[in-house]
Amino acid sequence: MPIDKSKIDWSLYLVTDPDMIPEGSDIYTHVREAIKGGCTVVQLREKKTDTGLFVEKAKKLLEITREYNVPLLINDRVDVVLASGADGIHVGQDDMDLKDVRRLLGPDAIIGISVGSIKEAKVGIAGRADYFGLGPIWDTNTKKLTKPLVGTMGARTVLSYIEQNAGYEIPCVAIGGIKDYNIQRLFFQSRTGTKSISGIAIVSAIMASTTPYDAAKSLLTSIKTPAPFI
Ligand code: 3NM
């Protein structure tokens, strides 16, 4: 059964990185454990993998994510989504135009875009993205950053813009440098009067962990614990 877009829980969004997985584990075991620990969305991100292997990994991961009713999204590659039957895609601002992505993948596909400013939010709104990846919130060693840091205040500015201008509900998942210890601050400092981030996206705090189940569980606990009024 395909995923119902309107019912996605965006709380804990895992972005994979094959190079971080500790020795002795593999992407399938690692992602399964992370889902059992509480990950609610998975994005397969492969920057160096040949297309054939990318599709094979996507198909195998889809079997796992389906077991738990968790959406599987593919980083950047429309062809890999189509070949694997994955639930959707995450694109950057410089990737294929969102309208073309939608035309190729159809109305049911989940389509997300990276957004770090009001200008980029306008692109996502015009293309009717289903969700935004909001970042980079903080600095990170995981990806060579080419855009300025958004910070919690920048996140709030973008959330506020979306709320007032999008005309439809866009869940926003924050990404970049997010760890257990800064989650509550992120939720608290970025929220507007009425709109909050819908969840957080994580690479290293789960992918580099030798205990992905525990890592995910602990992150989810921080997400679900209301931020104190500080
Ligand atoms: N995208 P970590 S930041 C994959 O800002 C990615 O769009 C970003 O890794 C963006 O959780 C990022 O290890 C890496 O900090 C996030």
Side-chain angles (χ1 to χ4, degrees), residues 3-44:
I3 299 283
D4 179 348
K5 278 209 286 206
S6 64
K7 298 209 175 99
I8 296 173
D9 175 356
W10 296 100
S11 307
L12 183 53
Y13 178 134
L14 173 65
V15 182
T16 65
D17 183 328
D19 297 334
M20 285 186 186
I21 299 169
E23 254 188 73
S25 189
D26 60 72
I27 190 161
Y28 312 109
T29 312
H30 210 81
V31 169
R32 183 187 288 279
E33 286 302 299
I35 294 174
K36 283 195 201 162
C39 284
T40 57
V41 179
V42 176
Q43 180 195 131
L44 178 60

Side-chain angles (χ1 to χ4, degrees), residues 45 114 135-136 140 142-143 175-177 202-204:
R45 184 171 182 266
S114 302
T140 175
T142 300
K143 177 180 173 180
I175 186 163
I202 296 282
V203 186
S204 54

Side-chain angles (χ1 to χ4, degrees), residues 184-185 188-189 222 225-230:
Q184 287 213 324
R185 179 155 63 93
F188 181 72
Q189 292 181 343
S222 301
T225 309
F229 285 85
I230 40 174

Side-chain angles (χ1 to χ4, degrees), residues 15-199:
V15 182
T16 65
D17 183 328
D19 297 334
M20 285 186 186
I21 299 169
E23 254 188 73
S25 189
D26 60 72
I27 190 161
Y28 312 109
T29 312
H30 210 81
V31 169
R32 183 187 288 279
E33 286 302 299
I35 294 174
K36 283 195 201 162
C39 284
T40 57
V41 179
V42 176
Q43 180 195 131
L44 178 60
R45 184 171 182 266
E46 299 275 330
K47 289 298 188 191
K48 295 176 271 182
T49 310
D50 291 341
T51 304
L53 183 56
F54 196 166
V55 172
E56 189 186 317
K57 280 186 166 184
K59 283 183 178 171
K60 281 196 191 165
L61 271 184
L62 191 61
E63 283 177 25
I64 296 169
T65 56
R66 281 277 188 270
E67 272 182 51
Y68 300 90
N69 201 32
V70 160
L72 177 68
L73 310 179
I74 303 294
N75 183 266
D76 279 0
R77 296 279 300 270
V78 171
D79 56 341
V80 177
V81 177
L82 289 169
S84 66
D87 303 297
I89 194 162
H90 185 87
V91 297
Q93 289 279 330
D94 298 328
D95 295 320
M96 195 186 287
D97 187 275
L98 285 179
K99 292 204 171 95
D100 291 327
V101 177
R102 176 66 68 201
R103 200 159 42 77
L104 290 165
L105 295 183
D108 295 337
I110 302 156
I111 300 179
I113 186 167
S114 302
V115 164
S117 63
I118 288 175
K119 186 167 168 240
E120 292 183 348
K122 285 181 183 168
V123 173
I125 294 166
R128 303 233 14 127
D130 294 306
Y131 79 94
F132 287 175
L134 188 51
I137 303 294
W138 290 300
D139 201 5
T140 175
N141 290 325
T142 300
K143 177 180 173 180
K144 196 170 162 15
L145 299 179
T146 51
K147 299 197 289 187
L149 297 181
V150 174
T152 56
M153 292 304 146
R156 188 165 76 170
T157 304
V158 175
L159 284 178
S160 171
Y161 179 82
I162 296 166
E163 198 177 15
Q164 284 161 31
N165 298 279
Y168 69 103
E169 171 57 22
I170 308 178
C172 289
V173 180
I175 186 163
I178 302 172
K179 310 282 177 196
D180 260 336
Y181 59 80
N182 55 29
I183 286 177
Q184 287 213 324
R185 179 155 63 93
L186 170 59
F187 270 86
F188 181 72
Q189 292 181 343
S190 63
R191 79 183 301 268
T192 71
T194 44
K195 188 168 171 71
S196 300
I197 51 169
S198 300

